[in-house]
Amino acid sequence: NFTISLIALSTIKGIGRKKIQTLINEMDNPFQSGYLSYVEKGIEINIFSRMTPISIFLEAREKAYEIMDICDKNHISIASSGESVFPDSLKFEGGPNLIYYQGDLNLLSKLNRVAVVGTRVPTETGRQFSYRMGQSLGKEKITVISGLATGCDTGGHLGCLDSHGKTVAFLPSNLTDIMPRSNVNLARKIIDEEGCLVSEFSPKDIN
């Protein structure tokens, strides 16, 4: 299916979101086409070399099934741009075509959402400001979006959670090896409070 195709393609060296999106755009029926159809199209438009051994593509498909198995065992969901669950807010030029997530992805489809981000090494004033901002937004039932980084990101998430709000964290790591490690407990709290963790990295990607 479409999601398996995107996962497999993403495991091939040198193939990133831009080339995958080019392939999607070139397909007549991108959401109905099988993985090998994507490979054939990639060869046709020179994304893949005609000299690439077929074993490379078959191994990528096997890796995709392994990734899906790891996700299933770790309660990680996968959303591709061809699925209705994929948030419209992520459908922009150059945006992701595949994400891994835990929690309530629908939070990214709500109109009331605000990003709270800043430096990883804020002053005490900056730290308190990000916390109070997250707290105020949480009280108003506005979803706080941030990146789980230390500093201002942490303040925004914590402020929102302390006011019983919902928050979404876009991770710089995969969901089975959360970074920064100092915020592992914060990530768990976000899920416990019905928020969401989102990553573009598969469980097999090395942080």
Side-chain angles (χ1 to χ4, degrees):
N1 66 23
F2 182 65
T3 300
I4 278 285
S5 297
L6 295 197
I7 297 172
L9 291 168
S10 70
T11 69
I12 299 173
K13 186 176 181 180
I15 304 300
R17 63 158 73 160
K18 186 175 181 180
K19 289 183 178 179
I20 290 175
Q21 190 58 53
T22 297
L23 277 170
I24 293 171
N25 294 342
E26 289 289 331
M27 299 297 288
D28 292 329
N29 297 293
F31 305 133
Q32 285 75 45
S33 299
Y35 169 59
L36 292 181
S37 294
Y38 275 92
V39 171
E40 290 173 359
K41 178 60 71 172
I43 293 171
E44 178 186 326
I45 63 176
N46 295 318
I47 284 180
F48 301 126
S49 168
R50 295 181 182 277
M51 302 301 292
T52 303
I54 188 64
S55 61
I56 296 294
F57 302 115
L58 298 179
E59 287 170 7
R61 185 167 60 182
E62 287 304 310
K63 288 179 184 175
Y65 285 115
E66 289 174 12
I67 288 169
M68 293 194 73
D69 186 52
I70 293 171
C71 287
D72 185 57
K73 290 176 179 176
N74 288 276
H75 308 291
I76 296 170
S77 300
I78 308 170
S80 62
S81 56
E83 297 177 281
S84 59
V85 70
F86 196 87
D88 286 341
S89 58
L90 297 182
K91 294 178 181 178
F92 53 88
E93 185 175 355
N97 35 52
L98 183 71
I99 56 173
Y100 300 84
Y101 68 96
Q102 290 177 309
D104 186 5
L105 193 63
N106 288 325
L107 291 171
L108 288 176
S109 297
K110 294 183 180 297
L111 292 177
N112 293 331
R113 60 184 191 275
V114 172
V116 177
V117 295
T119 177
R120 291 178 173 82
V121 285
T123 62
E124 182 59 22
T125 299
R127 186 193 66 78
Q128 291 181 10
F129 179 81
S130 62
Y131 177 87
R132 289 198 298 269
M133 179 64 72
Q135 190 176 47
S136 297
L137 292 168
K139 286 179 180 177
E140 296 298 322
K141 308 302 180 187
I142 297 173
T143 301
V144 169
I145 314 293
S146 200
L148 203 74
T150 56
C152 292
D153 288 18
T154 295
H157 288 307
L158 284 174
C160 182
L161 291 170
D162 286 349
S163 62
H164 307 290
K166 301 290 191 300
T167 183
V168 179
F170 282 84
L171 274 62
S173 62
N174 72 57
L175 291 168
T176 58
D177 188 19
I178 290 172
M179 300 291 284
R181 301 198 193 286
S182 58
N183 274 346
V184 168
N185 287 337
L186 174 57
R188 290 172 180 160
K189 187 174 182 180
I190 289 172
I191 295 300
D192 290 342
E193 298 297 325
E194 300 179 342
C196 188
L197 304 177
V198 182
S199 175
E200 286 189 66
F201 300 98
S202 87
K204 288 183 74 69
D205 287 328
I206 299 173
N207 292 337

